[in-house]
Amino acid sequence: MNENELDRIFTDYRAALPDPEPSAQFMPRLWEAIEARRTFRLRFGRLSRVFVTAAGAAWLIMAGVLLVHSTSASSFSSVDLVADSHPELISLDSPAGGR
Amino acid sequence: MQVDFSDIELARAGDDPAFNRIVVAYRKRIFGTIARLIGRPEDVEDVAQEVFLRLYYSLDQLRTPEVFEPWLYRLTVNASYDYLRRQKRRGEWRMSDLSEQQVLMADAAQGTRRGMEDQHKAAAAELVQQLLAAVPEADRALLLLKEVEGLSLRELQAIYHVKENALKVRLFRARQRVLKAFGTTERVRATDKKEDVQ
């Protein structure tokens, strides 16, 4: 087969498969699909907004709790904590408690 | 262009009647392209639905109405690729996968009697489908758009976003593959005929 024959075969193919006619249901089905996807997008959008709002609120609460916790914790130093749990160390090392 | 630029602009802005006019203007042409790309008339409508659905939700990304047609063709080719990939995964057979004898038997079983012209057309379609199977999927679509749909190189450039020379090379290679596949098919047929005679 040469190039010309190939061209003829393609032309025959074009004639063998003419543009099919869409069915009467094509347009109604298309608009149904568009509406269905639109509704899904709206719901998904709403759901994601709720999720973002909830996540923001949770972050604010967590930040508030951490802030309160760090403020109350900052009044105690680590030395105070050790001293509270091991009073004998303080009495040994302090000048008043020595020989 | 089969529609006014104003309709495209209106559809981009969300005007549903304008989008409806676009679909009505292009649906038959898109149906034809899909039919020749996928080779399964019964699934053409589903793929066309997907094309216009994608068009509806991507129209706002269209830069200018001038590039609308290549854009629509791109969507059509992509939706057809997606369909063909799904079919490949499912491993479904196609009419073109059957041998000539099996097709004749299937026709006889259905009790259909085609005219000579219809038979010739069906044979031409069968042959092209067989030959195109020898070409990679992407080049098959390119070949069909150029040789069957009659798109110009300029239009193909707009669809594929590649230079003219690159397109020419791809088309040349695809044509060579088809010619080679035809040679192989002819040899197989000749061997089969010899065996039948013996």
CSV table of all heavy atoms in Angstrom, one decimal, chain A residues 50-83:
chain,number,residue,atom,x,y,z
A,50,VAL,N,-17.2,24.9,56.9
A,50,VAL,CA,-17.5,24.5,58.3
A,50,VAL,C,-16.3,23.9,58.9
A,50,VAL,O,-15.9,24.3,60.0
A,50,VAL,CB,-18.7,23.5,58.3
A,50,VAL,CG1,-18.8,22.8,59.7
A,50,VAL,CG2,-20.0,24.1,57.9
A,51,PHE,N,-15.6,23.1,58.1
A,51,PHE,CA,-14.4,22.4,58.6
A,51,PHE,C,-13.3,23.5,58.9
A,51,PHE,O,-12.6,23.4,60.0
A,51,PHE,CB,-13.9,21.4,57.6
A,51,PHE,CG,-12.6,20.7,58.0
A,51,PHE,CD1,-12.7,19.7,58.9
A,51,PHE,CD2,-11.4,21.1,57.5
A,51,PHE,CE1,-11.5,19.0,59.3
A,51,PHE,CE2,-10.2,20.4,57.9
A,51,PHE,CZ,-10.3,19.4,58.8
A,52,VAL,N,-13.1,24.4,58.0
A,52,VAL,CA,-12.1,25.5,58.2
A,52,VAL,C,-12.4,26.3,59.5
A,52,VAL,O,-11.6,26.6,60.3
A,52,VAL,CB,-12.0,26.4,57.0
A,52,VAL,CG1,-11.1,27.6,57.3
A,52,VAL,CG2,-11.3,25.6,55.8
A,53,THR,N,-13.7,26.7,59.6
A,53,THR,CA,-14.2,27.4,60.8
A,53,THR,C,-13.9,26.7,62.1
A,53,THR,O,-13.4,27.2,63.1
A,53,THR,CB,-15.7,27.8,60.7
A,53,THR,OG1,-15.9,28.3,59.4
A,53,THR,CG2,-16.1,28.8,61.7
A,54,ALA,N,-14.3,25.4,62.1
A,54,ALA,CA,-14.1,24.5,63.2
A,54,ALA,C,-12.6,24.4,63.6
A,54,ALA,O,-12.2,24.5,64.7
A,54,ALA,CB,-14.7,23.2,63.0
A,55,ALA,N,-11.8,24.2,62.5
A,55,ALA,CA,-10.3,24.1,62.8
A,55,ALA,C,-9.7,25.4,63.3
A,55,ALA,O,-8.9,25.4,64.3
A,55,ALA,CB,-9.6,23.8,61.4
A,56,GLY,N,-10.2,26.6,62.8
A,56,GLY,CA,-9.8,27.9,63.3
A,56,GLY,C,-10.2,28.0,64.8
A,56,GLY,O,-9.3,28.5,65.6
A,57,ALA,N,-11.4,27.6,65.1
A,57,ALA,CA,-11.9,27.8,66.5
A,57,ALA,C,-11.0,26.9,67.4
A,57,ALA,O,-10.6,27.3,68.5
A,57,ALA,CB,-13.4,27.4,66.6
A,58,ALA,N,-10.8,25.6,67.0
A,58,ALA,CA,-10.0,24.7,67.8
A,58,ALA,C,-8.6,25.2,68.0
A,58,ALA,O,-8.0,25.1,69.1
A,58,ALA,CB,-9.9,23.3,67.1
A,59,TRP,N,-8.0,25.9,67.0
A,59,TRP,CA,-6.7,26.4,67.1
A,59,TRP,C,-6.7,27.6,68.1
A,59,TRP,O,-5.8,27.6,69.0
A,59,TRP,CB,-6.2,27.0,65.7
A,59,TRP,CG,-4.8,27.5,65.7
A,59,TRP,CD1,-3.7,26.8,65.6
A,59,TRP,CD2,-4.5,28.9,65.9
A,59,TRP,NE1,-2.6,27.6,65.7
A,59,TRP,CE2,-3.0,28.9,65.9
A,59,TRP,CE3,-5.2,30.1,66.1
A,59,TRP,CZ2,-2.3,30.1,66.0
A,59,TRP,CZ3,-4.4,31.2,66.3
A,59,TRP,CH2,-3.0,31.2,66.2
A,60,LEU,N,-7.7,28.4,68.1
A,60,LEU,CA,-7.8,29.5,69.0
A,60,LEU,C,-7.9,29.0,70.5
A,60,LEU,O,-7.2,29.5,71.4
A,60,LEU,CB,-9.0,30.4,68.7
A,60,LEU,CG,-8.8,31.4,67.6
A,60,LEU,CD1,-10.1,32.1,67.3
A,60,LEU,CD2,-7.7,32.5,68.0
A,61,ILE,N,-8.7,28.0,70.7
A,61,ILE,CA,-8.9,27.4,72.0
A,61,ILE,C,-7.6,26.8,72.5
A,61,ILE,O,-7.2,27.1,73.6
A,61,ILE,CB,-10.0,26.3,72.0
A,61,ILE,CG1,-11.4,27.0,71.8
A,61,ILE,CG2,-10.1,25.5,73.3
A,61,ILE,CD1,-12.5,26.1,71.4
A,62,MET,N,-6.9,26.1,71.6
A,62,MET,CA,-5.6,25.4,72.0
A,62,MET,C,-4.6,26.5,72.4
A,62,MET,O,-3.9,26.4,73.3
A,62,MET,CB,-5.1,24.6,70.8
A,62,MET,CG,-5.9,23.4,70.5
A,62,MET,SD,-5.6,22.0,71.6
A,62,MET,CE,-4.1,21.5,70.9
A,63,ALA,N,-4.6,27.6,71.5
A,63,ALA,CA,-3.6,28.7,71.8
A,63,ALA,C,-3.9,29.3,73.1
A,63,ALA,O,-3.0,29.6,73.9
A,63,ALA,CB,-3.7,29.7,70.6
A,64,GLY,N,-5.2,29.5,73.4
A,64,GLY,CA,-5.6,30.1,74.7
A,64,GLY,C,-5.2,29.3,75.9
A,64,GLY,O,-4.6,29.8,76.9
A,65,VAL,N,-5.4,28.0,75.8
A,65,VAL,CA,-5.1,27.0,76.8
A,65,VAL,C,-3.6,27.0,77.1
A,65,VAL,O,-3.1,27.1,78.2
A,65,VAL,CB,-5.6,25.6,76.5
A,65,VAL,CG1,-5.0,24.6,77.4
A,65,VAL,CG2,-7.1,25.6,76.6
A,66,LEU,N,-2.8,27.0,76.0
A,66,LEU,CA,-1.4,27.0,76.1
A,66,LEU,C,-0.8,28.3,76.7
A,66,LEU,O,0.1,28.3,77.5
A,66,LEU,CB,-0.7,26.8,74.7
A,66,LEU,CG,-0.7,25.4,74.2
A,66,LEU,CD1,-0.2,25.4,72.7
A,66,LEU,CD2,0.2,24.5,75.0
A,67,LEU,N,-1.5,29.4,76.3
A,67,LEU,CA,-1.1,30.7,76.9
A,67,LEU,C,-1.3,30.8,78.4
A,67,LEU,O,-0.4,31.1,79.1
A,67,LEU,CB,-1.9,31.8,76.2
A,67,LEU,CG,-1.3,33.2,76.3
A,67,LEU,CD1,0.0,33.3,75.5
A,67,LEU,CD2,-2.3,34.2,75.8
A,68,VAL,N,-2.5,30.3,78.8
A,68,VAL,CA,-2.8,30.3,80.2
A,68,VAL,C,-1.8,29.4,81.0
A,68,VAL,O,-1.3,29.8,82.0
A,68,VAL,CB,-4.3,29.9,80.4
A,68,VAL,CG1,-4.5,29.6,81.9
A,68,VAL,CG2,-5.2,30.9,79.9
A,69,HIS,N,-1.6,28.2,80.4
A,69,HIS,CA,-0.7,27.2,81.0
A,69,HIS,C,0.7,27.8,81.1
A,69,HIS,O,1.3,27.6,82.2
A,69,HIS,CB,-0.7,26.0,80.2
A,69,HIS,CG,0.0,24.8,80.8
A,69,HIS,ND1,-0.5,24.2,81.9
A,69,HIS,CD2,1.2,24.3,80.5
A,69,HIS,CE1,0.4,23.3,82.3
A,69,HIS,NE2,1.4,23.3,81.5
A,70,SER,N,1.2,28.4,80.1
A,70,SER,CA,2.6,28.9,80.1
A,70,SER,C,2.8,30.1,81.1
A,70,SER,O,3.8,30.2,81.7
A,70,SER,CB,3.1,29.3,78.7
A,70,SER,OG,2.3,30.4,78.3
A,71,THR,N,1.7,30.9,81.2
A,71,THR,CA,1.8,32.0,82.2
A,71,THR,C,1.8,31.5,83.6
A,71,THR,O,2.6,32.0,84.4
A,71,THR,CB,0.5,32.9,82.0
A,71,THR,OG1,0.3,33.2,80.6
A,71,THR,CG2,0.7,34.2,82.7
A,72,SER,N,0.9,30.5,83.9
A,72,SER,CA,0.9,30.0,85.3
A,72,SER,C,2.2,29.2,85.5
A,72,SER,O,2.8,29.2,86.7
A,72,SER,CB,-0.3,29.1,85.5
A,72,SER,OG,-0.3,28.1,84.6
A,73,ALA,N,2.7,28.5,84.5
A,73,ALA,CA,4.0,27.7,84.7
A,73,ALA,C,5.2,28.6,84.9
A,73,ALA,O,6.1,28.3,85.6
A,73,ALA,CB,4.1,26.8,83.5
A,74,SER,N,5.1,29.8,84.3
A,74,SER,CA,6.3,30.7,84.3
A,74,SER,C,6.6,31.2,85.7
A,74,SER,O,7.7,31.7,86.0
A,74,SER,CB,6.2,31.8,83.3
A,74,SER,OG,5.1,32.6,83.7
A,75,SER,N,5.6,31.2,86.6
A,75,SER,CA,5.8,31.7,88.0
A,75,SER,C,6.7,30.8,88.8
A,75,SER,O,7.2,31.1,89.8
A,75,SER,CB,4.5,32.0,88.7
A,75,SER,OG,3.8,30.8,88.7
A,76,PHE,N,6.8,29.5,88.3
A,76,PHE,CA,7.6,28.5,89.0
A,76,PHE,C,8.8,28.3,88.1
A,76,PHE,O,8.6,28.0,86.9
A,76,PHE,CB,6.9,27.2,89.2
A,76,PHE,CG,5.7,27.3,90.2
A,76,PHE,CD1,4.4,27.5,89.7
A,76,PHE,CD2,6.0,27.2,91.5
A,76,PHE,CE1,3.4,27.5,90.6
A,76,PHE,CE2,5.0,27.3,92.4
A,76,PHE,CZ,3.7,27.5,92.0
A,77,SER,N,10.0,28.3,88.7
A,77,SER,CA,11.2,28.0,87.9
A,77,SER,C,11.4,26.5,88.1
A,77,SER,O,10.9,25.8,89.0
A,77,SER,CB,12.4,28.8,88.3
A,77,SER,OG,12.7,28.4,89.6
A,78,SER,N,12.3,25.9,87.3
A,78,SER,CA,12.6,24.5,87.4
A,78,SER,C,13.3,24.2,88.7
A,78,SER,O,13.2,23.1,89.3
A,78,SER,CB,13.5,24.1,86.2
A,78,SER,OG,14.6,24.9,86.1
A,79,VAL,N,14.1,25.2,89.2
A,79,VAL,CA,14.8,25.1,90.5
A,79,VAL,C,13.8,24.9,91.7
A,79,VAL,O,13.9,24.1,92.5
A,79,VAL,CB,15.7,26.3,90.8
A,79,VAL,CG1,16.4,26.2,92.1
A,79,VAL,CG2,16.8,26.4,89.7
A,80,ASP,N,12.7,25.7,91.5
A,80,ASP,CA,11.6,25.6,92.5
A,80,ASP,C,11.0,24.2,92.5
A,80,ASP,O,10.7,23.7,93.6
A,80,ASP,CB,10.5,26.7,92.3
A,80,ASP,CG,11.0,28.1,92.5
A,80,ASP,OD1,12.0,28.2,93.4
A,80,ASP,OD2,10.5,29.0,91.8
A,81,LEU,N,10.8,23.7,91.4
A,81,LEU,CA,10.1,22.4,91.2
A,81,LEU,C,11.0,21.4,91.9
A,81,LEU,O,10.5,20.5,92.6
A,81,LEU,CB,9.9,22.1,89.8
A,81,LEU,CG,8.7,22.8,89.1
A,81,LEU,CD1,8.6,22.5,87.6
A,81,LEU,CD2,7.4,22.3,89.8
A,82,VAL,N,12.3,21.4,91.6
A,82,VAL,CA,13.3,20.5,92.2
A,82,VAL,C,13.3,20.6,93.7
A,82,VAL,O,13.3,19.6,94.4
A,82,VAL,CB,14.7,20.6,91.5
A,82,VAL,CG1,15.7,19.7,92.2
A,82,VAL,CG2,14.6,20.3,90.0
A,83,ALA,N,13.3,21.9,94.1
A,83,ALA,CA,13.4,22.1,95.5
A,83,ALA,C,12.2,21.6,96.3
A,83,ALA,O,12.3,21.0,97.4
A,83,ALA,CB,13.5,23.6,95.8
